[in-house]
Amino acid sequence: MFPFSQINHWLNEDSTQPTAPAPSSQEAAAPEGYFLPWTEQQIRDDIVIKDKLRVLKRSGLALPYEIWDDFVVETVVQFASWVQELPASASYHHSGRRGLVYHSLDVAIYAMRIRRNFILPPNTPPEEVLHREIIWVYGVFLAALLHDSGKIMDMVIELHISLNESRVWTPALGPVGAAGFPYRFRYKDDRAYATHQHLGMVFLMQLLGKDPMTAITHDTMLFAQLSEYLSGHKDHDNVIEQIVRQADAASVAQDLGASKDGINDAAKRARFGNNSLAEQLHTTMTYLLTEKKILLNKKGGEGFVYGDHLYLICKPIADTIRTTLLDRGISSVPSSNSKLFNELQQNNIIRPNEQGLAIWSCQINLTDMNWHQTFTCLCIHLPSFLPDVAFTPMVGDIVVLPPEDTTDSETEALNTAPDNALAPMKSEALSTSEHAETDCDDELTALVFGQSSTDSSPEVDSSVEVVNAPAEEITPLSDLSPVDVGTAFFNWVETSLKGGIHPVNTRDAFFHIVDGKLFIVSPTAMRTFVDEYGVGCKDDSYLDVQDGIQCMNKHIKTASGRNLHVVTVTRSQTTINGYLVELSDDVKAIHATNNAVLTMSEG
């Protein structure tokens, strides 16, 4: 049996001296690079937390006054004492100080609103719902608060004991704030991203007092679903998981600057997400990379990290993806590598090369091994695909080589115009799209393409009502004003581009990047929007959408003042008509590559 002192030395091998018992009081000021721990009183007095607790109560967490402090306030204080100043992500949403505690409270607020669309407990007679609903709502609150609590284990937290002594924090030492020492943190380079989803139940046992724990364990069905969710066992039929998943999406959308409508859209997508091949590919790639199923940066490896990009060797990664999907019972996997790569590209999992194709030719140079080799690769932009995960870069560099033969490469990607997306627009469609040069009211309050809400105050939480409305409750398109139609269309565009719902720069796409701007094929994109909107639409509703686009005045007109631009598909010389719009920064980070086979015909 190893002595504890030896184990402690290993845990703190970067310290200058072995650790010693903690002093009775913390230093008056934190050393440079460290944070003073957030005391319980500071947590209780924090203006943001107090305001979010007020909004939480108003949002539907209707516990009796006598138990509010014990069941809610004390739980939040204990949670904040554990997570302290930690962010919710490295560079994505809520990445600032205290991002994890603020995000968790926002998710709880949204969960209280979203749960109104569910019967709690589910499949329960009305007379039982009357008596059990209040504790179920409390269970939803706990799940929302703790849904990301395991992220504390994604970080190395170092306690500053004295000038020459430090200690690596572990959960065995209790809450970070209770130790009383200044601390600093960094993300682990070798963390497995999905692991944090399995640790919520551990923290639940640490945070809850006797009375709250007695209350939730008294309802066997509630405790079973809560334990299942907080232990990371995914079940789409678990009502708690359904509610928290939507609330999490809403909180992320709000922090990234979405409008009220955008937040609602994010929650709806989270609720109605399906098990399409696109979703399965995204899930599979996330699993392979975060669980280290792919050997990286080694001779004989399958991938290499260089800068912000990951280059995956085509043949082995295709076999790995296909095998993983088949092992999970997904039988709709394309047997052809080219079709598989096309699916990955259309769903924005991989980045196209300068010719708009999926496959890159790369020379891999590993300087530490004095080894180099040329491979055909797929390219993933890591900050876009896995923003929370840190990857160790390779020792060496990657040289992207020009394709050996570009004669026919365009025809394989987009250079011939199909009958739908790339066909020349009929003259009557062009003329009708030009007629609506209407003046617009200055009543735009929702998100338009390239813009977002600037209201970052906590009060934004109290004004947003996430509604998961069935189709018949959606306002018919025919009843919307031109401004509302245009706003809805641009929200749809933003959602499609960020979520990979519709392809970009592919043969059948109606979204293309031309000269660093978004080219929206008309009228194909408008017709698709009308088809997906569905309510109150007619055969010619796409004309109303064109009117709404022009009313928004977000598109770039030609030098001659026309609304529509014309682009030419090289080699085939087919022309396409469409609107030209500036890309937002968020979308530009995802879709930065111009479509190499399209050129602007009119300035």
Side-chain angles (χ1 to χ4, degrees), residues 8-44:
N8 199 37
H9 173 71
W10 290 342
L11 290 173
N12 296 275
E13 60 184 0
D14 59 337
S15 303
T16 56
Q17 295 181 9
T19 58
S24 57
S25 63
Q26 68 182 43
E27 299 176 11
E32 184 177 357
Y34 287 81
F35 296 99
L36 286 176
W38 215 5
T39 66
E40 287 193 9
Q41 191 57 49
Q42 287 174 321
I43 295 170
R44 296 179 190 275

Side-chain angles (χ1 to χ4, degrees), residues 171-281:
L173 300 176
V176 177
F181 295 107
Y183 66 95
R184 63 183 178 183
F185 57 86
R186 61 174 174 82
Y187 276 95
K188 296 177 180 177
D189 292 334
D190 60 345
R191 71 188 187 275
Y193 177 67
T195 303
H196 76 263
Q197 301 171 7
H198 301 269
L199 299 174
M201 199 61 191
V202 176
F203 287 97
L204 179 72
M205 299 298 186
Q206 296 280 351
L207 299 182
L208 282 197
K210 180 180 67 175
D211 290 342
M213 183 61 74
T214 300
I216 63 171
T217 54
H218 182 72
D219 192 309
T220 304
M221 181 180 174
L222 167 63
F223 193 66
Q225 290 208 12
L226 183 61
S227 302
E228 180 183 60
Y229 175 72
L230 290 178
S231 300
H233 299 289
K234 298 300 182 184
D235 180 3
H236 291 298
D237 293 329
N238 186 327
V239 67
I240 292 177
E241 177 181 334
Q242 294 175 31
I243 295 171
V244 176
R245 185 172 66 246
Q246 294 175 69
D248 186 28
S251 173
V252 170
Q254 176 186 304
D255 190 65
L256 296 179
S259 68
K260 181 176 180 178
D261 288 341
I263 293 170
N264 277 274
D265 288 342
K268 290 177 184 177
R269 290 195 303 274
R271 179 178 186 182
F272 297 110
N274 53 42
N275 292 321
S276 64
L277 179 59
E279 182 180 345
Q280 293 294 345
L281 286 172

